[in-house]
Amino acid sequence: MNWLWWRRIFALTQKELLQFSRDLILVVATIYFFTGEVYIAGKGVSLELVKAPIGYMDHDQSLASREWLNKLRPPYFDVKGQVTEEATAFELLDKSQLLGVVDIPPHFQRDLLKGHSTAIGFQLDGSNVVLGNLANSYTGLANAYFNQEWMLKQMKVTPAQALEVPRVDMRQMVLFNPEGNNAWFMSISEMMTVMTMLSLFLTAAIVVKEKERGTIEQLSIAPLTPLQILLPKILAVELILLSGIALSIFVVLLPVFNVPFQGSFFLFFLVSAVYVYAVSGLGLFIATISKNLAQVMIISILLLMPIILLSGAFTPPEAMPKWEQALIWLSPLYYYINMGYGIILKGSGLEIIWQNLLALFALGSVLFLFGIRQFKKQFEV
């Protein structure tokens, strides 16, 4: 690798960047993905129960039933009002106008005053399993609070007296995101997902566009090795995506969501560069088996979904079946998420993340060499 070798790499990288800058739609889309998408994910996506629409059928109309319903408080619940008939309740659940309907039976207060147990019905729309589970948990907590207060009231124990009874206090210490800020998690997660998508798609698209224009054949007969042809394309993608990461961090994450960047910016950009290198290998493979951009899109989506689902971003690896847990090691996003959250929120240094970084580099090298091999094979007669 002499001076001429590097000069060719520099010139070809300049050519790729120039071609990218001339594609206005691609430039605007890339800027939007790193700013608009990250902003929408951080601002609009919540992992908590917020304003869940709830109806109720109060067949008792007593003080006790109203006290129970008062436990369904904002911001978690939005109590829409009374539903008069069971058929109407089912219809509203069918139309997704209500998430759940609480059914308080007749003689609810009378049974409690007599010391008898009673039951409240809760019809829940479980089609959205996440919202359904959250609503189920929160109504369970509301019921527990009501039972506790009712018991103390019947024992004529005031809250102040109840505090004098020996009890166990659990003093939790939530580290790295003490307020459980969804916006931090979602915006960082979206930024990493955008990186994955564009690393895969841009690399493949740049090579396939050469195929469509017929210039790839000209390059293949030029005095250039496959590495000299492909490396500038990956370097161009690296520069474009690292600029996008900088845009996300300094335009959205820090000023809008106040994400506390605890670690080293340099280390995060280094990790991001290795990640782009790793995913670009897959992009090269897609480019070698695709004849046009439509095929690139379809194959990219085909590979993108398993990479995201096996990353552990939304489902902990421990919760997956054994055979899926084994496949997690093949998802580059798994390592990137581990290192990304570690650097940004925990302030992790190289001494903590080096194993993940090494694994990502090794995986990327395998994918990159595989991509070059496939690229060479397509010109072999």
Side-chain angles (χ1 to χ4, degrees):
M1 293 184 186
N2 53 25
W3 179 79
L4 181 61
W5 194 94
W6 285 109
R7 190 175 174 183
R8 285 174 176 168
I9 295 290
F10 180 72
L12 288 170
T13 305
Q14 268 189 319
K15 188 244 334 171
E16 299 298 342
L17 289 173
L18 191 62
Q19 284 183 338
F20 174 78
S21 66
R22 286 174 177 169
D23 193 332
L24 186 61
I25 293 177
L26 207 53
V27 172
V28 172
T30 304
I31 293 172
Y32 168 75
F33 278 125
F34 278 109
T35 53
E37 278 289 318
V38 174
Y39 176 80
I40 290 171
K43 203 72 174 177
V45 180
S46 174
L47 301 177
E48 294 179 350
L49 192 69
V50 180
K51 296 182 179 178
I54 298 291
Y56 65 87
M57 292 188 289
D58 187 356
H59 298 289
D60 194 47
Q61 298 290 332
S62 63
L63 178 63
S65 65
R66 286 194 292 276
E67 283 184 7
W68 197 100
L69 290 170
N70 281 335
K71 301 300 175 196
L72 304 179
R73 294 173 180 166
Y76 311 111
F77 295 101
D78 180 11
V79 180
K80 295 293 186 183
Q82 177 143 327
V83 181
T84 52
E85 297 177 359
E86 195 167 349
T88 309
F90 277 117
E91 184 182 345
L92 293 171
L93 288 170
D94 277 344
K95 292 179 178 176
S96 299
Q97 293 180 3
L98 291 178
L99 181 63
V101 177
V102 177
D103 187 358
I104 300 179
H107 313 306
F108 175 71
Q109 179 171 282
R110 187 193 69 183
D111 289 345
L112 288 175
L113 289 173
K114 285 183 177 179
H116 298 161
S117 295
T118 184
I120 288 177
F122 185 44
Q123 298 163 4
L124 181 65
D125 179 0
S127 56
N128 185 325
V129 69
V130 176
L131 280 180
N133 285 337
L134 285 171
N136 200 25
S137 301
Y138 281 51
T139 48
L141 283 175
N143 190 53
Y145 284 133
F146 174 83
N147 283 333
Q148 184 184 19
E149 288 182 8
W150 184 266
M151 182 183 66
L152 292 175
K153 192 187 293 183
Q154 297 311 303
M155 294 171 66
K156 300 188 184 322
V157 176
T158 63
Q161 290 171 321
L163 288 174
E164 296 173 3
V165 178
R167 60 181 182 175
V168 177
D169 283 332
M170 188 170 68
R171 297 177 180 175
Q172 297 171 318
M173 183 182 290
V174 181
L175 303 175
F176 313 124
N177 189 355
E179 297 176 2
N181 193 329
N182 272 319
W184 294 0
F185 174 78
M186 289 308 303
S187 57
I188 296 171
S189 173
E190 186 65 15
M191 179 180 71
M192 294 178 178
T193 305
V194 167
M195 275 286 282
T196 309
M197 182 182 69
L198 292 182
S199 301
L200 203 61
F201 178 73
L202 275 182
T203 310
I206 287 174
V207 178
V208 167
K209 280 174 80 174
E210 298 262 21
K211 277 186 181 179
E212 289 181 333
R213 287 194 294 259
T215 51
I216 196 76
E217 285 80 7
Q218 295 173 10
L219 285 172
S220 66
I221 58 173
L224 297 168
T225 64
L227 181 63
Q228 283 179 310
I229 296 172
L230 296 178
L231 186 59
K233 300 184 188 307
I234 292 179
L235 288 176
V237 173
E238 289 267 10
L239 291 172
I240 293 164
L241 297 188
L242 291 181
S243 303
I245 281 284
L247 207 59
S248 281
I249 292 174
F250 296 111
V251 174
V252 183
L253 263 59
L254 298 185
V256 177
F257 298 121
N258 298 315
V259 174
F261 205 107
Q262 304 285 0
S264 160
F265 285 108
F266 173 77
L267 184 58
F268 183 71
F269 277 91
L270 175 68
V271 165
S272 300
V274 174
Y275 181 64
V276 174
Y277 162 71
V279 181
S280 294
L282 273 177
L284 290 180
F285 168 69
I286 293 171
T288 56
I289 60 174
S290 303
K291 294 178 180 174
N292 51 52
L293 282 176
Q295 290 182 358
V296 166
M297 285 292 292
I298 292 171
I299 299 172
S300 295
I301 293 169
L302 203 65
L303 291 174
L304 190 62
M305 295 312 294
I307 289 175
I308 294 175
L309 293 174
L310 292 172
S311 66
F314 303 105
T315 305
E318 295 77 13
M320 296 179 182
K322 289 289 181 189
W323 65 271
E324 278 191 13
Q325 289 183 25
L327 294 176
I328 283 174
W329 306 106
L330 299 177
S331 171
L333 188 55
Y334 169 73
Y335 304 102
Y336 190 43
I337 282 178
N338 281 346
M339 292 185 284
Y341 282 115
I343 295 168
I344 295 174
L345 295 180
K346 299 179 183 177
S348 301
L350 189 60
E351 70 282 3
I352 294 176
I353 65 165
W354 69 271
Q355 287 177 318
N356 277 311
L357 186 59
L358 197 61
L360 181 63
F361 183 75
L363 180 63
S365 297
V366 171
L367 294 173
F368 183 69
L369 292 174
F370 179 67
I372 288 185
R373 183 171 174 272
Q374 291 301 111
F375 181 79
K376 285 170 67 177
K377 278 179 71 176
Q378 68 183 336
F379 294 108
E380 291 174 1
V381 181

